[in-house]
Amino acid sequence: QVQLVESGGGLVQAGGSLRLSCAASGRTLTDYTMAWFRQAPGKERAFVAAIRWNDGITYYADSVKGRFTISGDNAKNTVYLQMNTLKPEDTAVYYCAGDSHWYGRSWPIIRVMNYWGKGTLVTVSS
């Protein structure tokens, strides 16, 4: 069993930056895939970014490519989401998730993962 706890959300102006963290406990993340999803008010949860822990391969939603970076720290068993050039449409609750599978080009349609955090709210003001 993996427990995930997100932190780092908050209020930021458009064009600003935030870094989200997701601390994992219960087991190490080796052989896992970690991902970030987000859910905006009135919308369904959507994929943001994923990283395959053992080799660092990443995948991004088109809407965040070039602005967001997902990374991991083995020593801290933590995954990060660095968000730059934030836009008001990035406003959402951001969720950390873990799974044993890597979905490749199917990531944008993935909605189910083995483990989920409770989320952290990011609000981008215009």
Side-chain angles (χ1 to χ4, degrees):
Q1 194 77 0
V2 176
Q3 293 79 42
L4 303 173
V5 179
E6 303 96 335
S7 61
L11 174 64
V12 63
Q13 287 189 330
S17 298
L18 277 177
R19 189 178 79 157
L20 305 183
S21 300
C22 173
S25 60
R27 61 174 63 185
T28 61
L29 297 178
T30 304
D31 296 328
Y32 273 83
T33 288
M34 299 300 296
W36 289 93
F37 291 76
R38 66 186 180 185
Q39 188 165 17
K43 296 187 177 181
E44 67 175 18
R45 193 171 298 185
F47 167 77
V48 175
I51 184 168
R52 191 161 66 186
W53 206 257
N54 60 0
D55 59 11
I57 288 179
T58 58
Y59 197 95
Y60 296 93
D62 287 343
S63 59
V64 307
K65 204 173 293 183
R67 300 189 298 123
F68 290 11
T69 302
I70 188 171
S71 63
D73 185 324
N74 275 322
K76 296 183 178 180
N77 221 33
T78 297
V79 61
Y80 302 99
L81 185 68
Q82 177 66 44
M83 305 185 295
N84 298 330
T85 319
L86 282 161
K87 305 174 182 179
E89 52 263 43
D90 294 318
T91 294
V93 177
Y94 283 72
Y95 297 90
C96 177
D99 202 293
S100 57
H101 299 289
W102 177 257
Y103 294 101
R105 288 180 290 181
S106 296
W107 274 114
I109 64 171
I110 295 300
R111 298 292 182 269
V112 179
M113 298 279 282
N114 285 343
Y115 306 106
W116 291 92
K118 293 185 178 181
T120 185
L121 176 63
V122 172
T123 303
V124 184
S125 63
S126 56

